[in-house]
Amino acid sequence: MRCVQFRTALSARIDGEPAGLPDRRLDKHVARCGACREWLDRAERLRGAVTGAGAGGPSADWSAKLLASLGGQGLGGQGVGADGSAAAGRPGQGSGGPVR
């Protein structure tokens, strides 16, 4: 197995996702492989920095500016309400029924 496969599994484990490999096997590889040990250390520090920087999530002001720049349109052409939720019943958006 190549290091890239171990690093993919380690990344998943850091994110709390299924790693696809037993923890024991990952830990054994990291103990033996200096390059993967360095990669894991950098990945954990990066995750900590990103998590710490965005702990409170985006501010309400930032969210409002984003929604304004999107023109009130969400993904797939769905309208977005002021609270960020999808707005139902917008003209031209259809009823979700069959197209004729």
Side-chain angles (χ1 to χ4, degrees):
M1 184 171 277
R2 297 176 187 249
C3 288
V4 68
Q5 293 166 307
F6 282 104
R7 291 175 187 179
T8 299
L10 289 166
S11 177
R13 183 168 78 173
I14 289 170
D15 292 340
E17 301 170 355
L21 293 172
D23 284 339
R24 184 173 180 204
R25 185 167 182 196
L26 289 173
D27 294 337
K28 187 176 180 179
H29 178 79
V30 170
R32 291 182 177 176
C33 180
C36 285
R37 195 169 37 254
E38 281 183 39
W39 181 92
L40 180 59
D41 182 53
R42 286 192 319 265
E44 287 174 333
R45 281 187 283 134
L46 178 61
R47 177 155 173 74
V50 169
T51 300
S59 69
D61 185 48
W62 182 89
S63 297
K65 286 179 183 177
L66 176 63
L67 288 173
S69 72
L70 293 173
Q73 293 297 308
L75 295 176
Q78 293 292 323
V80 178
D83 65 353
S85 63
R90 293 268 175 116
Q93 297 300 319
S95 65
V99 177
R100 296 179 196 233

